Amino acid sequence: MNMIAPESQAEMLTLLEHAVAAHANVVQVKVAGDQAVVEILATGSVVASREMPLARCNDLLRGAFSLCDESDDYQYNTSRSARMTGLKSALPKGLTMVFLQFFPARDGQRHLVARLTYDSDTCCGTCGG
């Protein structure tokens, strides 16, 4: 098992803090050539965006998965789903769960989709929450 850098976990938690501040419902990572584009979306509109080298995205996604409740043997660039409920690290205030879907890197496609659930949200049951 590879070691997860605490910086990549902190970076994911910071992304979630920014998303909560915008009351966003999705944080996604999309692939654009050799870059990863991290976007925070609120009701379908991008409210914040930044780029990072695709090679660095490995650390971010592995760090995000390591914060999930039952993280085990995630391998970067594979499809997986997981939930983050704060069991391993406290979520930003007001956030009750993050449902994450990881996908292999494909140009023009989503690489990570993180759906946010707030204290005041009503769960529809589709994410298992």
Side-chain angles (χ1 to χ4, degrees), residues 92-129:
K93 184 178 170 88
L95 197 60
T96 57
M97 185 183 76
V98 182
F99 180 69
L100 299 105
Q101 294 174 286
F102 300 85
F103 304 101
R106 292 188 180 103
D107 195 27
Q109 302 294 314
R110 290 182 182 188
H111 198 20
L112 168 72
V113 178
R115 290 174 171 65
L116 286 61
T117 303
Y118 293 89
D119 291 341
S120 59
D121 292 346
T122 303
C123 183
C124 65
T126 59
C127 66

Side-chain angles (χ1 to χ4, degrees), residues 54-67:
L54 186 57
R56 192 168 140 242
C57 192
N58 175 351
D59 291 335
L60 176 66
L61 269 61
R62 289 179 59 240
F65 188 80
S66 71
L67 292 168

Side-chain angles (χ1 to χ4, degrees), residues 14-73:
T14 299
L15 279 171
L16 293 176
E17 287 173 4
H18 291 300
V20 168
H23 200 71
N25 53 339
V26 173
V27 174
Q28 67 183 12
V29 177
K30 294 168 68 177
V31 178
D34 63 350
Q35 295 290 309
V37 180
V38 181
E39 298 176 329
I40 296 174
L41 290 85
T43 61
S45 298
V46 176
V47 296
S49 178
R50 69 179 175 110
E51 292 183 356
M52 71 172 61
L54 186 57
R56 192 168 140 242
C57 192
N58 175 351
D59 291 335
L60 176 66
L61 269 61
R62 289 179 59 240
F65 188 80
S66 71
L67 292 168
C68 292
D69 296 352
E70 296 182 15
S71 58
D72 48 20
D73 60 352

